[in-house]
Amino acid sequence: MAAAQGGSVVSSAGKVDFLKLQNGSDIRGVAVAGVEGEPVNLTEPVTEAIAAAFAAWLLNKNETDGLRRLRISVGHDSRISAHKLQNAVTHGITAAGHDILQFGLASTPAMFNSTLTEDEKNHLPVDGGIMITASHLPYNRNGLKFFTSDGGLNKADIKDILERASKIFEESAHDNQKEREDASRGVVTNVDYMSIYASDLVQAVRKSAGGKEVPLDGLHIVVDAGNGAGGFFVDKVLKPLGAVTTGSQFLEPDGLFPNHIPNPEDKTAMKAITQAVLDNKADLGIIFDTDVDRSAAVDSSGRELNRNRLIALMAAIVLEEHPGTTVVTDSVTSDGLTVFIENKLGGKHHRFKRGYKNVIDEAIRLNSVGEESHLAMETSGHGALKENHWLDDGAYLMVKLLNKLAAARTLGSSIGSKVLTDLVDGLEEAAVTVEIRLKIDQNHADLKGRSFRDYGEAVLRHLENAIAKDSDLHKAPKNYEGVRVSGYGGWFLLRLSLHDPVLPLNIEAQSKDDAIKLGLAVLAAVSEFSALDVTALSKFVQQ
């Protein structure tokens, strides 16, 4: 072990609004200067204060006095501000008298796993984990995610931590420097945790193949890591399992993301992995987001297995293992997915709110009241399984696909990814899928001093009343977010964004004409709300 460097918890410079850094159950801010109109607010002193606050929050949660010495892990994705923020976290934790394990480049799911792994030699498990990431956001952004052995923190926990951090930040200006230098400091240890984490994934695939050492022998699988943290999957997971990985791309971490945004929802990113599969005649393609808590796949024909298709595929796998189980998804999943899960697979589809934490927490709640649920997934690529501690782990999702490939391989099959493609056979998909964002102008006189949230709720109430008078449209009998309506052989959902002054509108239909009819119904209902920018919707219905 190496002793931690000295230094104050923070060196305060002016007032900071810590609560503005909250983004649901994460912390996100601007960490790199240079983008006009985006001043840096996630500075090193601010990050030190947040790290110290997390340690204080952990002590409070565990109902232990401040004398207990904690062990906390820290890792980061490939962002250019990662190292300075990792150092800031380290200073914040060690100056508060706690020990830290530095993992370096890591994935978000690995940080959670470090709170569970039993490995005395590597000082595991830890009391808490901190991941430095801002997922797929631009290079100048960064943020923090926190974990305990119970999983990721919720919104209330993040608010608590930021309020504590604000006090620590302000008090640091009046601290006695000498007292802090004399205080007991934590120690820093470097641990190659990604090798430990990857080894567990390898063992999971071998186990599903009856203990075969190289169950993917001969299968050609390409990975696109988008220059994020997912490059480890090639050398540490696929190669030990015997897979051929030539043609894998953008494995080197680069926080400027020079090739494409690491995001399984991004069209350019999906086009890149699809092209790699076709160019290399691969059996399967895998793509991760920056911090590997989301993923998607591409089959040997170049067919994308993401969004509704990936949920359908995971539902098929999970329902084979747990017949009749409930699959919880976010609110924008298709009607075709419901039919597939319930009529073809014999499961139950529980459509809930947007936000991966909302979806996961709802699955946990259903289990607690006696309704069995083993899978919670968002169309974004976030997916969590009960068997994996309800952690949204993009690498673990792909391991579930590898298990199917390995099992087919063990039976002597050489059909590539057909075993996966066959699982989603029968999924009805809309010919037209559209998302239009209707922005609320917060400075418009029509708000009359109201918040954008109140205004948005008024729009939704008015739409609901308008729909009730239209015999061609039918409101969904069970709906947890926004207004969901079916009609003209398709459906639409208008909801209020979780964080922004925006009403996203999703439309799915079997033809452009039917999609336009649904769009016209929404436009007619919301046009009297003059603070709502309906330009994009008007343009769509005029096509």
Side-chain angles (χ1 to χ4, degrees):
M1 285 194 191
Q5 294 296 308
S8 63
V9 174
V10 286
S11 102
S12 183
K15 187 83 175 160
V16 176
D17 188 347
F18 276 77
L19 291 178
K20 280 196 172 172
L21 294 168
Q22 179 158 6
N23 185 69
S25 54
D26 301 341
I27 287 171
R28 286 184 183 171
V30 178
V32 177
V35 177
E36 194 177 339
E38 296 189 11
V40 173
N41 58 359
L42 191 62
T43 63
E44 287 160 272
V46 163
T47 304
E48 286 184 39
I50 292 170
F54 175 56
W57 177 88
L58 269 176
L59 286 173
N60 184 66
K61 177 182 181 287
N62 297 332
E63 298 180 343
T64 53
D65 60 41
L67 299 174
R68 186 178 162 222
R69 197 176 176 111
L70 297 170
R71 205 159 44 218
I72 294 171
S73 58
V74 61
H76 58 77
D77 67 18
S78 59
R79 292 175 179 276
I80 59 175
S81 55
H83 291 289
K84 74 174 184 182
L85 293 190
Q86 178 178 257
N87 289 338
V89 165
T90 299
H91 290 157
I93 298 293
T94 55
H98 304 292
D99 298 338
I100 200 148
L101 305 187
Q102 284 193 349
F103 292 170
L105 187 71
S107 71
T108 292
M111 298 315 300
F112 168 66
N113 268 283
S114 69
T115 69
L116 303 172
T117 302
E118 300 279 348
D119 186 338
E120 201 175 321
K121 183 182 138 201
N122 287 297
H123 317 287
L124 297 162
V126 291
D127 296 291
I130 301 175
M131 178 65 180
I132 299 167
T133 182
S135 189
H136 61 280
L137 292 182
Y139 78 93
N140 66 322
R141 306 297 182 94
N142 217 327
L144 300 125
K145 293 183 178 183
F146 304 94
F147 299 95
T148 69
S149 57
D150 294 329
L153 273 55
N154 59 37
K155 290 180 188 177
D157 299 327
I158 298 300
K159 185 168 184 273
D160 185 346
I161 287 167
L162 286 170
E163 285 169 348
R164 290 171 187 269
S166 183
K167 286 178 189 165
I168 290 169
F169 188 81
E170 286 174 25
E171 288 167 5
S172 67
H174 315 292
D175 268 358
N176 184 310
Q177 180 78 23
K178 179 79 172 65
E179 271 181 28
R180 269 188 278 108
E181 282 176 357
D182 290 343
S184 170
R185 298 198 171 278
V187 294
V188 182
T189 308
N190 293 313
V191 175
D192 176 18
Y193 185 72
M194 288 308 291
S195 292
I196 299 169
Y197 165 77
S199 175
D200 288 342
L201 297 179
V202 169
Q203 291 310 317
V205 179
R206 285 177 178 155
K207 184 180 175 184
S208 77
K212 196 173 178 185
E213 186 73 9
V214 285
L216 302 181
D217 186 31
L219 271 173
H220 192 164
I221 301 172
V222 295
V223 172
D224 184 327
N227 302 110
F232 78 94
F233 203 77
V234 170
D235 286 333
K236 293 183 186 293
V237 179
L238 292 176
K239 285 183 179 176
L241 291 168
V244 176
T245 60
T246 51
S248 291
Q249 58 194 18
F250 318 140
L251 305 181
E252 288 301 311
D254 185 338
L256 293 174
F257 310 122
N259 295 292
H260 60 70
I261 296 168
N263 180 3
E265 281 191 289
D266 182 69
K267 287 179 180 172
T268 305
M270 289 307 296
K271 190 176 177 186
I273 182 60
T274 300
Q275 200 59 52
V277 168
L278 296 174
D279 289 349
N280 293 280
K281 296 183 173 56
D283 294 302
L284 186 72
I286 290 171
I287 185 167
F288 296 114
D289 77 338
T290 321
D291 59 327
V292 202
D293 60 359
R294 296 187 295 138
S295 58
V298 174
D299 73 10
S300 55
S301 71
R303 186 186 188 201
E304 294 177 3
L305 297 169
N306 63 346
R307 300 184 63 79
N308 284 291
R309 279 184 202 158
L310 184 59
I311 298 174
L313 177 54
M314 287 304 303
I317 291 170
V318 169
L319 276 154
E320 274 184 5
E321 299 166 353
H322 305 282
T325 197
T326 295
V327 176
V328 181
T329 73
D330 59 339
S331 60
V332 300
T333 47
S334 70
D335 286 350
L337 181 65
T338 305
V339 171
F340 182 76
I341 290 172
E342 299 193 343
N343 295 3
K344 176 156 190 196
L345 302 179
K348 184 178 173 188
H349 183 195
H350 182 87
R351 192 183 281 117
F352 197 58
K353 298 174 185 174
R354 284 283 274 181
Y356 71 93
K357 200 80 174 72
N358 290 331
V359 174
I360 291 168
D361 286 348
E362 180 67 359
I364 293 169
R365 185 193 70 78
L366 289 178
N367 280 288
S368 74
V369 296
E371 183 174 337
E372 188 189 69
S373 175
H374 285 269
L375 175 66
M377 276 198 79
E378 263 204 319
T379 47
S380 64
H382 279 289
L385 292 110
K386 185 179 181 182
E387 71 187 51
N388 194 37
H389 312 282
W390 289 118
L391 173 66
D392 52 318
D393 184 344
Y396 193 83
L397 280 191
M398 292 302 104
V399 160
K400 293 295 281 185
L401 305 194
L402 296 181
N403 287 348
K404 295 300 290 184
L405 293 175
R409 203 78 176 160
T410 302
L411 295 171
S413 173
S414 57
I415 54 173
S417 58
K418 189 173 185 298
V419 63
L420 301 178
T421 310
D422 286 351
L423 285 173
V424 292
D425 186 41
L427 173 67
E428 296 169 15
E429 299 188 79
V432 180
T433 303
V434 185
E435 180 168 297
I436 300 166
R437 293 169 71 78
L438 311 180
K439 292 179 182 174
I440 299 169
D441 180 358
Q442 296 183 83
N443 299 315
H444 198 284
D446 199 33
L447 264 71
K448 301 181 181 73
R450 286 183 290 175
S451 70
F452 79 81
R453 190 157 290 283
D454 287 341
Y455 192 81
E457 294 290 357
V459 173
L460 294 175
R461 280 195 300 274
H462 186 76
L463 174 63
E464 208 166 346
N465 292 334
I467 294 309
K469 298 169 189 168
D470 190 331
S471 59
D472 290 322
L473 301 173
H474 309 282
K475 189 178 163 229
K478 226 177 184 185
N479 186 53
Y480 294 91
E481 182 172 42
V483 178
R484 188 180 179 108
V485 172
S486 60
Y488 304 111
W491 61 273
F492 73 74
L493 172 71
L494 185 70
R495 62 186 174 85
L496 187 56
S497 168
L498 295 174
H499 311 296
D500 304 313
V502 172
L503 286 159
L505 171 66
N506 292 83
I507 300 174
E508 286 195 6
Q510 291 307 326
S511 71
K512 192 68 175 279
D513 286 348
D514 287 339
I516 287 171
K517 285 175 188 172
L518 291 167
L520 282 167
V522 176
L523 186 61
V526 305
S527 55
E528 66 184 69
F529 289 85
S530 50
L532 198 63
D533 183 357
V534 296
T535 310
L537 179 55
S538 298
K539 191 176 174 185
F540 172 71
V541 299
Q542 286 164 13
Q543 287 179 5

